[in-house]
Amino acid sequence: MTQTPPRPAAGSPAPRPVPTSTDVARLAGVSRATVSYVLNNTSAVRISEPTRRRVREAAEELGYVPHAAARSLRAGRTRIVLLPTAHVPVGPLYGHFLNELQWALRRLDYTVVQYASMGLDGDEAARAWAELRPVAVVSFGAVELTPQGVDVLKRSGAQAVITLGPQPVEGAHSLPVDQRRVGRCAGVHLVERGYRRIGVVLPEEPGPELFSGPRLEGVRHAVAGTGADVVPLPLARTEEAAGALAARWPGLGLDAVFAYDDEYAVLLLRALLDAGASVPGDTAVMGAGDLLLGRLMRPRLSTVRIDMEAGQHLAELVDRVVADPDRTPENRDLMAARAIHREST
Amino acid sequence: MTQTPPRPAAGSPAPRPVPTSTDVARLAGVSRATVSYVLNNTSAVRISEPTRRRVREAAEELGYVPHAAARSLRAGRTRIVLLPTAHVPVGPLYGHFLNELQWALRRLDYTVVQYASMGLDGDEAARAWAELRPVAVVSFGAVELTPQGVDVLKRSGAQAVITLGPQPVEGAHSLPVDQRRVGRCAGVHLVERGYRRIGVVLPEEPGPELFSGPRLEGVRHAVAGTGADVVPLPLARTEEAAGALAARWPGLGLDAVFAYDDEYAVLLLRALLDAGASVPGDTAVMGAGDLLLGRLMRPRLSTVRIDMEAGQHLAELVDRVVADPDRTPENRDLMAARAIHREST
DNA sequence: TTGAAAGCGTTACCAG
DNA sequence: CTGGTAACGCTTTCAA
């Protein structure tokens, strides 16, 4: 026997142990199997109505709630979808997308587990995730997933290992999401308008590197061969930092700037205006994300609009892959990016 | 119920079953018990170094990963902290707070499960949560938790049921977070400056009701007895809606407006300016949240700054309550609110 | 120092 | 139509 807690100190409110299906069965005067059948509405077996009622009443009276872990253990599979997350959100857009995905997954009856990857490397992380025996893992690049990591997950029972990112991972169902395209949109937009010395604002804060790097690369790519220059500009997300950058702006000799997202863009735009610069006359400013923020500035901020395929769609994809892991991967990029011309460029 | 046998169709690449501790034991030529001892570094038992090595190598070779559900089942407790979430985020601030909390909990080795409450009522939701046997539940008011719900959770093994909200829930460890204080700050601020016809912008979008209602109530409370009026103003978070509201503004006869958060405030502020109004001359505008957005507007947006006690602290509180469920609840309000005067009031 | 065995709560199978 | 029994993977007590 296990250590039956010998009546904890008097005064405790309810030292009652948590009721199990055995307790329900005993109270209803039936077997555990019958309890299971009744509570799960198993159609393959027919139980008499009086019995059903007795079982239901017993469960109600005891406040019985089935134990998900025991169920999974027996069933050999969970309904857990694991979402590895980075320390810091990389932007409002991403947060919104993640939220939508969670909601949609829950709606499909999955249990969403967010797993913060505390600086583990890809394989350590994969092993930690595998302990939960998730039926699916959807990775946004917070952790660099390796083919070995994917293998560990699949062997632990994951039916779907889905990665979103610029390049596919061997063994995983990889959906293309190429942040370079955001930069490319901006680069093309600016070059077409004749700008030739282009600054690119990169967040100094840790977190968005996985997004900001490729966006910079995208700008470089768009600009290649046009004779235009690209100058990386690290910037902290504060008014002071923006002011300092604006102060040394004339010395930089830039005629345009593309910022990691609209927040950084507006921060700098404001600082430039306050420093007496003319936008887009002296310098064009472009952001990304098409946030409310930018539309409310004057001049209105030109931006790269990013549409992530609705979380709803991704959730349905997860569900399909779980049901049929061998289906051929889809290749459409989940992210649509296009430049929106307003008044700041 | 599903009845798909775990036997995959022939031709599947790797139908290898997931390795268990039995497999490791067999390969290492020891018993399952020994495997458990070695892999968990059990200090009460000493295993010879050669044996340890054999076990470790076997585990490595097979790619063995322990099964969290089985472990919890045996242990009788999980490390799951359940976070009920609403459909839509109620604002950037809240999102940030939630993120910090998740990170801190993970750091304390908890498994964070976000549970979207799909329109379940308090007791249904509590039962659904209880299936996971969380060791703690931290509720932000996405679902109205009842004393019965709390009881179900506690009886299912939850050591800590923590609610954040205006009023305590019987049986739960309730931390005061009173959104009315935000409204009160704004109300006091506006009344002190002589404004007497105060509009309060409430989001038309579903989601923030649980926050916006109390904030409105707080304004009313602050204004009571001063002879000032309070007028609720539903507003969608779009430029069109704000424009429409600004168009009928003169007819409303308001001399000040407090918006649910800085986004709504700036939206309206911009629309008023574009309509030719003077701020704060004709109308004062105040927001909440102290977002970057408001600081970048001209005139700079007056706001109510809200500091949620760092998620870190809440995570540590959870950890303490889990360790000692009978500790006396803390009563300090987790939220600090104070008006910040800028240029728009 | 190691191994055998008893459960944890659930459901599937197969007798009654 | 119903109920006993075994098994899921793991930890831990007890015995060798």
Side-chain angles (χ1 to χ4, degrees):
Chain A
M1 298 303 294
T2 45
Q3 59 298 349
T4 318
R7 286 281 163 262
S12 290
R16 303 166 294 192
V18 349
T20 72
S21 74
T22 304
D23 300 320
V24 177
R26 185 164 27 221
L27 181 57
V30 299
S31 75
R32 302 211 313 281
T34 306
V35 172
S36 175
Y37 290 143
V38 171
L39 296 182
N40 292 313
N41 280 317
T42 305
S43 52
V45 182
R46 301 234 311 239
I47 311 277
S48 70
E49 199 44 54
T51 304
R52 301 185 97 89
R53 249 202 27 241
R54 284 216 315 284
V55 169
R56 292 226 165 81
E57 284 169 358
E60 180 69 24
E61 178 174 338
L62 294 174
Y64 167 73
V65 174
H67 191 308
R71 198 201 298 260
S72 314
L73 186 57
R74 170 63 219 201
R77 62 205 147 70
T78 69
R79 293 284 290 174
I80 292 177
V81 176
L82 194 140
L83 262 36
T85 58
H87 184 172
V88 235
V90 292
L93 227 70
Y94 173 82
H96 181 71
F97 176 66
L98 201 64
N99 225 59
E100 228 188 305
L101 175 60
Q102 290 208 38
W103 180 258
L105 285 171
R106 180 72 202 90
R107 206 179 181 86
L108 292 169
D109 201 40
Y110 290 100
T111 299
V112 176
V113 175
Q114 288 213 11
Y115 207 102
S117 44
M118 320 267 322
L120 300 170
D121 81 29
D123 292 5
E124 294 168 329
R127 257 186 310 265
W129 302 343
E131 294 197 4
L132 298 177
R133 298 290 190 273
V135 70
V137 175
V138 182
S139 167
F140 299 87
V143 162
E144 199 87 27
L145 207 43
T146 65
Q148 292 78 29
V150 175
D151 191 53
V152 167
L153 288 169
K154 291 219 158 155
R155 292 193 44 176
S156 82
Q159 300 294 312
V161 178
I162 296 180
T163 63
L164 275 60
Q167 63 224 355
V169 176
E170 166 100 30
H173 197 120
S174 298
L175 299 178
V177 171
D178 190 349
Q179 296 285 337
R180 282 173 302 195
R181 293 176 47 205
V182 175
R184 206 145 54 218
C185 279
V188 168
H189 176 92
L190 293 172
V191 165
E192 275 178 353
R193 277 167 182 72
Y195 300 107
R196 284 298 174 268
R197 290 269 302 166
I198 303 175
V200 175
V201 169
L202 304 174
E204 274 183 354
E205 290 79 7
E209 304 86 356
L210 272 154
F211 292 64
S212 58
R215 288 187 189 178
L216 170 59
E217 199 186 323
V219 177
R220 286 220 164 91
H221 187 268
V223 156
T226 66
D229 280 344
V230 173
V231 181
L233 300 168
L235 177 64
R237 213 181 68 99
T238 66
E239 290 176 88
E240 295 71 32
L245 179 54
R248 61 193 184 87
W249 197 257
L252 293 171
L254 300 170
D255 57 11
V257 59
F258 165 62
Y260 168 68
D261 70 12
D262 281 354
E263 290 206 330
Y264 289 88
V266 168
L267 205 52
L268 181 55
L269 170 54
R270 178 84 270 163
L272 289 171
L273 293 176
D274 286 352
S278 145
V279 174
D282 300 330
T283 310
V285 179
M286 185 160 199
D290 191 19
L291 303 183
L292 185 58
L293 178 67
R295 293 200 297 269
L296 300 178
M297 277 307 278
R298 297 296 181 268
R300 292 179 174 84
L301 184 71
S302 294
T303 191
V304 178
R305 175 193 274 275
I306 303 172
D307 286 317
M308 292 289 284
E309 181 110 13
Q312 175 75 29
H313 290 166
L314 181 51
E316 282 161 7
L317 175 62
V318 169
D319 195 44
R320 283 198 302 273
V321 177
V322 164
D324 173 14
D326 293 326
R327 82 199 336 274
T328 76
E330 320 205 355
N331 273 318
R332 196 160 38 98
D333 194 321
L334 274 182
M335 191 185 67
R338 73 171 200 277
I340 301 211
H341 184 207
R342 295 216 173 94
E343 303 160 0
S344 69
T345 53
Chain B
M1 297 275 77
T2 49
Q3 59 271 42
T4 329
R7 184 56 56 218
S12 291
R16 303 168 295 190
V18 349
T20 72
S21 75
T22 305
D23 299 320
V24 177
R26 185 164 29 225
L27 181 56
V30 300
S31 74
R32 303 214 313 285
T34 306
V35 172
S36 176
Y37 290 143
V38 171
L39 297 183
N40 293 315
N41 280 316
T42 306
S43 50
V45 182
R46 302 227 318 231
I47 310 279
S48 68
E49 199 46 51
T51 304
R52 301 185 97 90
R53 249 202 26 241
R54 284 216 315 285
V55 170
R56 293 227 163 80
E57 283 170 357
E60 178 68 23
E61 178 173 340
L62 294 175
Y64 167 73
V65 174
H67 191 308
R71 195 201 301 260
S72 315
L73 187 56
R74 171 65 219 203
R77 62 205 147 73
T78 68
R79 293 286 289 175
I80 292 177
V81 176
L82 194 140
L83 262 35
T85 58
H87 184 173
V88 236
V90 292
L93 228 68
Y94 174 81
H96 180 72
F97 176 65
L98 201 65
N99 225 59
E100 229 188 305
L101 175 61
Q102 290 208 39
W103 181 258
L105 284 171
R106 182 70 202 92
R107 204 178 182 86
L108 291 169
D109 203 40
Y110 290 100
T111 298
V112 176
V113 175
Q114 289 212 9
Y115 207 103
S117 44
M118 318 267 325
L120 300 171
D121 80 29
D123 293 4
E124 294 168 329
R127 261 191 302 271
W129 302 342
E131 293 196 4
L132 298 178
R133 298 289 190 275
V135 70
V137 175
V138 181
S139 167
F140 298 87
V143 161
E144 200 87 26
L145 206 43
T146 66
Q148 292 78 29
V150 174
D151 191 53
V152 168
L153 288 169
K154 289 218 159 157
R155 291 191 45 176
S156 82
Q159 300 294 312
V161 178
I162 297 179
T163 64
L164 275 59
Q167 63 225 355
V169 176
E170 166 102 29
H173 196 121
S174 297
L175 299 179
V177 171
D178 191 349
Q179 296 286 336
R180 283 174 302 196
R181 293 175 48 205
V182 175
R184 206 146 54 217
C185 278
V188 168
H189 176 93
L190 293 173
V191 166
E192 274 179 354
R193 276 167 183 72
Y195 300 107
R196 285 297 174 269
R197 289 270 301 164
I198 302 175
V200 175
V201 169
L202 304 174
E204 274 183 356
E205 290 78 9
E209 304 88 357
L210 271 155
F211 292 65
S212 58
R215 288 187 190 179
L216 170 60
E217 201 187 322
V219 177
R220 286 218 163 93
H221 187 267
V223 156
T226 65
D229 281 345
V230 172
V231 181
L233 301 168
L235 177 64
R237 213 184 68 102
T238 66
E239 288 177 89
E240 294 71 31
L245 180 54
R248 60 194 185 88
W249 197 257
L252 293 171
L254 300 170
D255 57 10
V257 60
F258 166 61
Y260 168 68
D261 70 11
D262 282 355
E263 290 205 330
Y264 289 88
V266 167
L267 205 52
L268 181 55
L269 170 53
R270 178 85 268 163
L272 288 171
L273 293 176
D274 286 352
S278 144
V279 175
D282 301 330
T283 310
V285 178
M286 185 159 197
D290 191 19
L291 304 182
L292 184 58
L293 177 68
R295 293 201 297 269
L296 300 178
M297 279 305 280
R298 296 297 181 268
R300 291 180 176 84
L301 184 70
S302 294
T303 190
V304 179
R305 174 193 275 274
I306 302 171
D307 285 317
M308 292 290 284
E309 180 110 12
Q312 176 74 28
H313 289 168
L314 181 51
E316 282 162 6
L317 175 61
V318 169
D319 195 44
R320 284 198 301 272
V321 178
V322 164
D324 172 14
D326 293 327
R327 83 200 333 274
T328 77
E330 318 205 355
N331 272 318
R332 196 160 37 96
D333 194 323
L334 275 182
M335 190 185 67
R338 71 169 201 280
I340 301 211
H341 184 207
R342 295 217 174 92
E343 303 160 1
S344 68
T345 54

